[in-house]
Amino acid sequence: AAGCDLCADGAVAGRCLTCGLSLCPFCCRAHRRQKKTASHAVTELENTKDCSQAENPLLCPSHPTEELRLFCEQCDHPVCQECVLGRHRQHPYDLASNVIHRHGDALRKLLKNTQQHMGTLEDVLSQIDDTGSAICSRAEAVATEICRFASGYVRAIEEHRDRLLKQLEDLKVQKENLLHLQKSQLQQLLLDMRTGVEFTEHLLMSGSDLEILITKGVVSSRLTKLNSIAYSTHPSVDDRILFSPQERAGQCCGYEVFGAILNKVVDPARCTLHGEDLHSARQNQRTGFTLFCHDTTGERMGQGGEAVRVTITHKDKRDCAVKPTVCDNGDGTYCISYSPEEPGLYAVCVCVKGQHVQGSPFTLMVKHKFREHQGVFHCCTFCSSGGQKAARCACGGTMPGGYQGCGHGHKGHPGCHHWSCCGQVKESSECLGGPPSDTLLRSLLRTVAL
């Protein structure tokens, strides 16, 4: 082991940080006492590691015999004495012990900044871990929502499927019922015709002249009636049943669903009539109502083209009938309008495909045409007659005893404005009085004129 750098005898006990010498205890004390080296920083070696560091100083790579005790400021690198005399000759330099504080402070500052970054990174990594856990939790919650949504959607689709199948079954049954009804009617008509034909043929072949002449009228009437019965030469319904997957079908269980059965069959028993006043009309005034067609499930028909027949016949006058106008709106609704020429009671029948709809048949009362007022709408006869106390009004009031303020208070006055011809208190009302007599006309002449 190397000894003291000064006396070469004593064991190394310290090191001068200023000049880099390894010193024995005696030389350490002497180093501190000498005037030239009194300001040097001498540290004592406490353990073998420091001793080993003191015993093995760092040597210059370019000059293996020289120790690195200096620091080149320009090259920012430790150098030895030979380096300073050589290629670092013009470079500023100083003892390593003199610059260590400045460079150590810079390193400590960098260290502090780096430690702060490390703390920030640790916080970020912690947040990342927390966010990852939150993502997992949220993903599980959303997966539950998706499963719940999908389950509800599946239930909605299944319910919509069952509803479509029910509509299909109802449509099939209705088509079959309409065909069965048509078949039964035509079979009965064919049976009646066959019976009539066989009877007539037998009469013509086997009957005597007198028998033919006697029964001719009955047989002819029967055959004529059978020939006059109207019947369709085609099936009442067709076999078209279509399904449209793209058709919007509204909502089911809160979900929008698609798919609808087309070519729905109208159900006359579910068709309804709507209008402000179905049961009354005015003579020579065009009025009407609306027919809403529905299918077997009660849903509105979204298309037109139905066979709608409307008849309006007078109950007292057989030859008096009103010809209605039927307008197909193309959306399952039909506007029926008419203008009755004769007042009285009528019977109205509305049929779809030969069957009555809801509320059909119903009665219709046609009132006389609107009668205009022949008088004036006034507060009293006194004012509208120019102050004639004896002038009479339809309200029955006169002005006995003189003027009492616009007629209010006299007997028979309604207490408000009214028509002088019939006493109606509504200005837009219909006149209830009949044609005025000559005497009444004379008494009201000045009132009407004013």
Side-chain angles (χ1 to χ4, degrees), residues 215-428:
T215 57
K216 175 186 72 68
V218 177
V219 174
S220 177
S221 176
R222 176 61 174 166
L223 292 180
T224 301
K225 184 177 181 180
L226 291 173
N227 290 334
S228 66
I229 296 177
Y231 58 90
S232 175
T233 57
H234 302 284
S236 58
V237 294
D238 52 43
D239 61 350
R240 290 185 303 166
I241 300 177
L242 302 178
F243 175 68
S244 174
Q246 293 82 20
E247 194 81 12
R248 291 182 177 273
Q251 286 196 345
C252 185
C253 301
Y255 296 85
E256 186 177 6
V257 292
F258 295 83
I261 296 176
L262 307 180
N263 302 106
K264 296 185 293 186
V265 174
V266 66
D267 186 356
R270 293 181 180 269
C271 298
T272 55
L273 301 173
H274 299 271
E276 291 185 3
D277 196 350
L278 290 172
H279 303 283
S280 65
R282 183 74 66 172
Q283 182 184 6
N284 293 331
Q285 285 188 0
R286 180 158 289 278
T287 185
F289 52 89
T290 304
L291 167 66
F292 286 79
C293 289
H294 300 81
D295 63 6
T296 53
T297 64
E299 293 185 5
R300 271 273 301 275
M301 295 287 293
Q303 56 191 8
E306 303 298 340
V308 178
R309 183 172 61 89
V310 181
T311 59
I312 305 175
T313 56
H314 203 291
K315 284 197 170 185
D316 298 327
K317 301 178 182 179
R318 292 185 177 181
D319 297 333
C320 180
V322 179
K323 187 177 181 180
T325 301
V326 180
C327 178
D328 187 349
N329 297 324
D331 59 354
T333 63
Y334 301 80
C335 292
I336 295 97
S337 60
Y338 58 93
S339 180
E341 297 180 357
E342 292 290 334
L345 195 62
Y346 287 78
V348 182
C349 296
V350 181
C351 296
V352 175
K353 289 189 175 181
Q355 299 182 53
H356 285 281
V357 301
Q358 280 188 32
S360 176
F362 61 91
T363 57
L364 170 68
M365 174 57 71
V366 177
K367 301 177 183 179
H368 288 274
K369 61 182 179 181
F370 190 85
R371 285 184 285 188
E372 301 289 344
H373 290 281
Q374 302 300 317
V376 293
F377 193 66
H378 62 184
C379 64
C380 68
T381 59
F382 182 83
C383 292
S384 60
S385 65
Q388 296 183 11
K389 300 176 183 178
R392 286 191 171 275
C393 176
C395 70
T398 59
M399 297 292 295
Y403 173 65
Q404 298 181 15
C406 284
H408 294 280
H410 72 67
K411 184 179 180 181
H413 194 282
C416 59
H417 279 70
H418 56 281
W419 286 99
S420 64
C421 51
C422 64
Q424 283 276 69
V425 295
K426 289 186 177 181
E427 188 174 5
S428 60

